[in-house]
């Protein structure tokens, strides 16, 4: 009998019951809750007269709708305010721990989970947010769910699921100096496409993955969903275990030693069989910049905007033509000739301390270009913000002309006041470049934090290593 | 949840791949704490030429006459025919809520994003994945007043000319959708097994239950 994949192990550990057709009731160890996808779920509980199955396994935070300035004045948008107030009320009513907007620990749900040790290796983690895949970086089975499933988890601490297939993405060789986790994952999506992982759980492996910090691994797993996979995974190693030591919600004392032993087995067996294996050469990955309206429309910074007429697939060619029109670009245009209007450094993909350090290193002693209307740095959590300030990063950004904001999802999806205006072009460290994502008619280019900072300084895209 | 059994409905084509949930229902509408009323804002940025805001009265907005769903021959369409990876991106269940509220009951595409696919079944909406050439065939056949019959129990699509196309669906999902069953109620029938699992798991990972 062949060995098990990491995903097989995590799945088996959580099966409560399996139906004849293979669909299973699986136990959920941690449910993260935010204001946008939960109100209808709480209302459903209330209408059915149900209580949370195990309130202590839930952790809530408001992140999507919160303003990143003037928090002392509260939320001015009445519709957003009602949604955040509703979360506060629901958490109080149902006995769920919440980091409210003024709590020092408040932040983006996928940043605070690992930061608090609230999401841990070996867990099943769900949240009404597709970027829940982030938590797979710790060797947890983590995926996004809809609001009906949010209600289901609240009521039963379980979900009805069918097991996905196993996909291994193996990176061969080490990346070049200066290549970040964001470049790696964008290059992967460019290769396999946004539907490449549909129906699969992706495990990322290889020395280039092992060399990443936990935060870098989170960036990779965060965008597994952009490759079509609900969940991305990375095996546990010493980097994982060191990261979770002494986190507020991490196991303590004898539990810690027990956990450490249990987590050591969270890797695929050597003879594990995957349904599909994709090999990627890590040594040739260059800094990546998306040019279109899907994350798969991505090229290296020294490349040009592709020519749709060279695409033989009619549906793809049509998508490329539409993307070029929306993005206001021409085939053959050099990526480094694309000027940007706004820069956004933040989101659950890239707002952790290492991301801010990488961007600050580029910004240090420099000024943003005259054509940059706004350059935002939005830390992923109150604790990331505090840490950055203790290192003087805030001052570096402010001196360079960036704005230093309060934590939240901000311009990644522009539910609050931070957004692009029609036709504006943005270098963004977020995860989606869909039409209108960052504001009606806005044009998004996805890049790493260092590349976003470099674009802010140069006023256009530039290889951060060649920034003068 | 409303059940889905058999439907004969008008087909509207949306000839785009990778239609994401931000396009299906833009984020400003996600501030609502309600589950209903998203239909008027379905595909908002494609359907209208002006910028949509929550609670806006859509009857006086600038219509994009070129957008397929605004064409008179597709008024009342209940079946959406589209391209690969439909519903990619965000997990927002507001996407199937908006499609259902607009009047769609069936979506036919070569493939769907996993979370969206799952969300449809919770809302009486049937997503059907067919082979790409089969979807191509339907796009080619489509003409004014084109209808299809979808029989979930028999797992068949029947064209007006009598041609039948079979489709796959999980037994469990089919059963729940055919009967409009409440998932939570069904899962709670296993409450004793959930409790027993927790007791076992607490032995292996006690820190989860402190």
């Amino acid at each position: 009998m062949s060995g098990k994949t990491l995903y097989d192990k995590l799945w088996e550990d959580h099966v409560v019951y399996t139906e004849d057709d293979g669909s299973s009731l699986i136990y959920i160890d941690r449910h993260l809750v935010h204001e946008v996808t939960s109100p209808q779920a709480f209302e459903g509980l209330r209408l059915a007269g149900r209580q949370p199955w195990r309130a202590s396994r839930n952790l809530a935070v408001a992140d999507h709708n919160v303003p990143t300035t003037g928090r002392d004045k509260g939320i001015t948008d009445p519709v957003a305010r009602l949604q955040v107030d509703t979360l506060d009320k629901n958490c109080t009513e149902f006995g769920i721990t919440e980091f409210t907007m003024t709590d020092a620990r408040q932040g983006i749900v996928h940043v605070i989970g690992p930061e608090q040790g609230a999401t841990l290796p070996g867990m099943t983690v769900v949240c009404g947010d597709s970027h829940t895949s982030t938590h797979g970086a710790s060797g947890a089975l983590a995926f996004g769910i809809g609001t009906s499933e949010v209600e289901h988890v609240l009521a039963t601490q379980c979900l009805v699921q069918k097991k996905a297939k196993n996909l291994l993405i193996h990176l061969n060789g080490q990346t070049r100096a200066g290549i970040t986790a964001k470049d790696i994952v964008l290059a992967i999506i460019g290769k396999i496409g946004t539907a490449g992982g549909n129906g699969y759980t992706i495990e990322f492996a290889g020395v280039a993955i092992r060399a990443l910090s936990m935060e870098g691994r989170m960036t990779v797993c965060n965008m597994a969903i952009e490759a079509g996979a609900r969940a991305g995974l990375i095996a546990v190693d010493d980097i994982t275990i060191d990261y979770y030591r002494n986190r507020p919600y991490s196991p303590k004392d004898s539990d810690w030693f027990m956990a450490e032993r249990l987590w050591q087995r969270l890797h695929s067996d050597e003879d594990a069989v995957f349904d599909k294996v994709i090999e990627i050469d890590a040594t040739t990955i260059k800094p990546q910049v998306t040019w279109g309206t899907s994350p798969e429309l991505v090229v290296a910074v020294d490349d040009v905007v592709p020519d749709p007429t060279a695409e033989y697939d009619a549906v793809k060619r049509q998508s490329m033509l539409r993307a070029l029109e929306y993005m206001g670009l021409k085939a053959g245009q050099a990526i480094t000739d694309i000027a940007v209007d706004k820069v956004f450094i933040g989101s659950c993909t890239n707002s952790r301390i290492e991301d801010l350090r990488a961007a600050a290193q580029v910004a240090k002693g420099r000024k943003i270009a005259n054509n940059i209307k706004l350059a935002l740095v939005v830390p992923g959590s109150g604790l990331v913000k505090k840490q950055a300030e203790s290192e003087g990063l805030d001052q570096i950004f402010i001196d360079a002309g960036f704005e230093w904001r309060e934590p939240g999802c901000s311009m990644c999806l522009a539910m609050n006041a931070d957004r692009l205006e029609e036709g504006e072009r943005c270098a963004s460290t977020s995860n989606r470049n869909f039409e209108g994502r960052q504001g009606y008619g806005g044009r998004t280019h996805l890049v790493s934090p260092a590349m976003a900072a470099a674009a802010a300084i140069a006023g256009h895209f530039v290889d951060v290593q060649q920034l003068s | 949840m409303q059940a889905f059994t058999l439907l004969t409905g008008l087909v509207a084509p949306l000839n785009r791949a990778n239609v994401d949930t931000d396009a299906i229902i833009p984020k400003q509408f996600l501030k609502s704490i309600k589950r209903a009323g998203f239909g008027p804002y379905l595909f908002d940025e494609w359907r209208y030429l002006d910028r949509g805001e929550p609670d806006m009265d859509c009857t006086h907005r600038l219509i994009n006459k070129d957008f397929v769903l605004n064409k008179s021959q597709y008024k009342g369409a209940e079946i959406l025919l589209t391209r690969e990876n439909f519903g990619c991106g965000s997990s927002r269940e507001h996407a199937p809520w908006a499609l259902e509220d607009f009047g769609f009951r069936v979506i036919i595409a070569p493939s769907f994003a996993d979370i969206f696919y799952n969300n449809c079944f919770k809302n009486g909406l049937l997503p059907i994945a067919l082979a790409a050439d089969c979807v191509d065939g339907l796009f080619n056949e489509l003409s004014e007043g084109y209808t299809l019959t979808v029989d979930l129990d028999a797992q068949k699509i029947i064209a007006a000319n009598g041609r039948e196309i079979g489709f796959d669906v999980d037994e469990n999902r089919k059963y729940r959708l055919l009967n409009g069953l409440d998932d939570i109620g069904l899962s709670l029938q296993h409450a004793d097994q959930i409790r027993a699992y927790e007791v076992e798991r607490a032995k292996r990972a006690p820190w989860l239950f402190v």
Side-chain angles (χ1 to χ4, degrees), chain B residues 68-79:
Chain B
V68 63
L69 295 186
N70 288 330
K71 299 192 172 173
S72 58
Q73 69 259 41
Y74 299 119
K75 199 170 160 38
E78 291 176 282
I79 300 174

Side-chain angles (χ1 to χ4, degrees), chain B residues 29-153:
Chain B
F29 304 106
L30 274 51
K31 292 179 194 172
S32 169
I33 58 169
K34 300 187 206 115
R35 213 179 177 114
F38 294 100
Y41 313 111
L42 175 73
F43 298 119
D44 198 84
E45 292 186 5
W46 295 342
R47 257 169 89 194
Y48 304 100
L49 295 169
D50 56 355
R51 196 182 301 208
E53 291 299 336
D55 300 326
M56 208 173 191
D57 175 5
C58 292
T59 52
H60 302 295
R61 291 181 62 188
L62 283 170
I63 302 289
N64 175 7
K65 292 195 176 106
D66 296 332
F67 184 61
V68 63
L69 295 186
N70 288 330
K71 299 192 172 173
S72 58
Q73 69 259 41
Y74 299 119
K75 199 170 160 38
E78 291 176 282
I79 300 174
L80 185 68
L81 177 66
T82 186
R83 297 291 185 180
E84 69 158 4
N85 202 27
F86 187 82
C88 63
S90 146
S91 65
R92 60 189 71 167
E93 198 161 316
H94 311 69
W97 294 341
L99 286 158
E100 194 271 340
D101 195 51
F102 183 84
F104 287 115
R105 299 298 311 279
V106 176
I107 303 165
I108 301 172
S111 63
F112 294 89
D114 292 342
I115 303 178
F116 174 82
Y117 184 80
N118 203 41
N119 284 341
C120 285
F121 285 95
K122 317 285 183 194
N123 294 285
L125 198 60
L126 175 63
I128 300 175
L130 296 178
D133 56 352
C134 193
V135 171
D136 269 342
L138 291 173
F139 267 101
N140 292 336
E141 256 175 44
L142 203 125
S143 56
E144 193 157 348
Y146 185 81
T147 61
L148 289 171
T149 297
V150 177
D151 183 341
L152 176 58
D153 191 33

Side-chain angles (χ1 to χ4, degrees), chain A residues 10-89:
Chain A
L10 290 167
W11 178 268
E12 285 171 15
D13 277 352
H14 291 90
V15 172
V16 173
Y17 173 85
T18 302
E19 301 268 359
D20 294 338
D21 77 336
S23 54
S24 300
L25 195 61
I26 67 160
Y27 194 77
I28 302 303
D29 294 322
R30 173 64 72 192
H31 182 209
L32 300 168
V33 178
H34 67 85
E35 77 275 27
V36 177
T37 56
S38 67
Q40 300 86 350
F42 283 113
E43 183 63 13
L45 280 192
R46 215 174 276 121
L47 290 173
R50 290 176 175 136
Q51 284 294 317
W53 179 273
R54 193 169 284 277
S56 64
R57 298 321 300 160
N58 299 273
L59 177 63
V61 69
D63 58 1
H64 283 61
N65 257 323
V66 297
T68 57
T69 53
R71 290 251 168 113
D72 50 331
K73 294 194 284 288
I75 303 174
T76 49
D77 173 355
V79 192
R81 188 172 63 234
L82 175 64
Q83 197 168 54
V84 174
D85 286 350
T86 302
L87 178 68
D88 294 349
K89 281 190 196 129

Side-chain angles (χ1 to χ4, degrees), chain A residues 13 18 168 181 236 268 280 318 326 351 448 463:
Chain A
D13 277 352
T18 302
L168 177 68
V236 169
S268 291
I280 290 187
Q318 225 23 62
Y326 182 86
S351 64
S448 74
D463 185 341

Side-chain angles (χ1 to χ4, degrees), chain A residues 13 23 27 77 148-149 152 436, chain B residues 27 93 118 172 187 197-198:
Chain A
D13 277 352
S23 54
Y27 194 77
D77 173 355
S148 296
E149 290 182 314
H152 194 282
Chain B
K27 71 271 184 169
E93 198 161 316
N118 203 41
N172 195 12
S187 293
Y197 174 88
E198 286 183 320

Side-chain angles (χ1 to χ4, degrees), chain A residues 182-183 186 189 223 226 287-299 327 335 344 347 349-350 411-412 426-434 437-438 443-449 451-452 461:
Chain A
K182 185 63 163 289
D183 301 310
L186 284 173
I189 297 163
M223 290 191 73
E226 263 58 66
Q288 303 283 303
V289 182
T290 66
W291 60 268
T293 51
S294 164
E296 70 185 22
L297 302 177
V298 63
V299 291
M327 294 297 287
I335 295 294
F344 172 61
S347 86
T349 314
N350 281 129
M411 212 203 276
C412 173
C426 183
S428 177
T429 67
S430 55
N431 40 56
R432 291 191 174 130
N433 51 357
F434 299 153
R437 171 80 179 180
Q438 293 192 293
R443 295 161 170 168
T444 303
H445 296 265
L446 305 175
V447 288
S448 74
M451 286 286 288
F461 291 107

Side-chain angles (χ1 to χ4, degrees), chain B residues 161-181:
Chain B
N161 62 13
R163 186 164 70 98
E164 294 189 355
I165 306 164
F167 62 88
D168 289 333
V169 58
D170 279 349
E171 273 306 311
N172 195 12
R173 282 184 168 131
K174 176 178 164 180
Y175 171 72
R176 290 172 191 228
L177 190 52
L178 278 173
N179 297 291
L181 293 174

